[in-house]
Amino acid sequence: MNDFQESRIPKFIGSLKELTYLNLSYAKFSGIIPHHIGNLSNLITLDLSSNDYNENLLIIHDMAWISGLSSLEHLNLSWVNLRGAKNLDMVLYMLPLLKELWLLGCGLSNVNLGALQNVSTSLSNIKHLNLARNSFKGQLPHFFQNMSSLQFLDLSLSFDPSPTWNFASLLIMIPSLLELVGPSRRMTNLNLVILTH
């Protein structure tokens, strides 16, 4: 909640190796997120979100640095530009303790999902996943079926579902799901569904 006037996130942050919590949200940073953040191996929470709604001021070209954050449980990259980011799949298999992942408004599309489809083990501990305000089409990605602990899923204004998409198939794919925020405005009956199975 500061205003750094679109300056870069300083690289020296990567030298603060005892940090367990880093929140730079709403701080008006811009540019490429420095890979030095990957040196913070004790981080439990990393929030780089919402630097400016809909403008994607922060950018990640390569997610390889995420592999250094093996203790991470909460990651919020909402409104960070991930279009064309390399190694995006590392978010799914290099963070074994991750419980909460926010990728709201990151400019993700089916092209980005292609790299994730072959991930055999993905986020078995994740409970909360927000993919709202991206641009996916067609079937839900298969990696959802590996998320055996997923309880909350937000797909609002993100998926343009295929005609064969249905609520029952989602329940079969993600039996642990308790709350769903629906994929599109057209599916008004799924805008907020509390599951009680």
Side-chain angles (χ1 to χ4, degrees), residues 12-69:
F12 75 78
I13 284 180
S15 65
L16 305 175
K17 296 186 179 180
E18 298 303 314
L19 277 183
T20 59
Y21 179 90
L22 178 59
N23 187 338
L24 301 178
S25 64
Y26 296 93
K28 204 81 171 184
F29 283 113
S30 70
I32 297 172
I33 294 173
H35 64 85
H36 304 80
I37 289 179
N39 297 333
L40 305 178
S41 59
N42 290 312
L43 271 188
I44 294 173
T45 297
L46 175 60
D47 190 341
L48 300 172
S49 66
S50 304
N51 277 267
D52 199 356
Y53 290 122
N54 291 316
E55 291 197 25
N56 294 121
L57 292 177
L58 284 173
I59 303 167
I60 297 177
H61 290 313
D62 193 334
M63 290 295 303
W65 55 267
I66 206 80
S67 64
L69 306 181

Side-chain angles (χ1 to χ4, degrees), residues 68-135:
L69 306 181
S70 57
S71 300
L72 208 59
E73 295 182 13
H74 309 278
L75 176 61
N76 193 336
L77 297 177
S78 295
W79 303 106
V80 173
N81 185 344
L82 296 177
R83 295 177 190 89
K86 297 177 183 176
N87 297 307
L88 186 59
D89 54 338
M90 285 189 170
V91 175
L92 294 183
Y93 71 82
M94 295 300 289
L95 301 175
L97 302 180
L98 199 63
K99 296 176 182 176
E100 187 172 334
L101 177 60
W102 290 71
L103 297 175
L104 166 71
C106 291
L108 298 173
S109 67
N110 289 53
V111 173
N112 305 107
L113 288 181
L116 304 177
Q117 298 290 10
N118 297 321
V119 177
S120 58
T121 58
S122 56
L123 300 177
S124 60
N125 291 320
I126 197 163
K127 295 182 178 180
H128 182 113
L129 178 61
N130 191 320
L131 292 172
R133 294 185 178 271
N134 287 290
S135 300

Side-chain angles (χ1 to χ4, degrees), residues 98-101 123-130 144 146-155 167 170-171 173-181 192-197:
L98 199 63
K99 296 176 182 176
E100 187 172 334
L101 177 60
L123 300 177
S124 60
N125 291 320
I126 197 163
K127 295 182 178 180
H128 182 113
L129 178 61
N130 191 320
F144 279 137
N146 298 322
M147 296 181 177
S148 55
S149 300
L150 190 63
Q151 296 178 359
F152 175 90
L153 177 61
D154 190 341
L155 299 173
F167 190 57
L170 183 65
L171 285 176
M173 186 180 290
I174 317 171
S176 59
L177 197 63
L178 299 176
E179 188 172 345
L180 167 69
V181 183
L192 183 59
V193 176
I194 307 297
L195 310 178
T196 56
H197 59 80

Side-chain angles (χ1 to χ4, degrees), residues 134-148:
N134 287 290
S135 300
F136 304 122
K137 294 182 179 180
Q139 295 290 341
L140 291 171
H142 295 298
F143 64 77
F144 279 137
Q145 66 191 5
N146 298 322
M147 296 181 177
S148 55

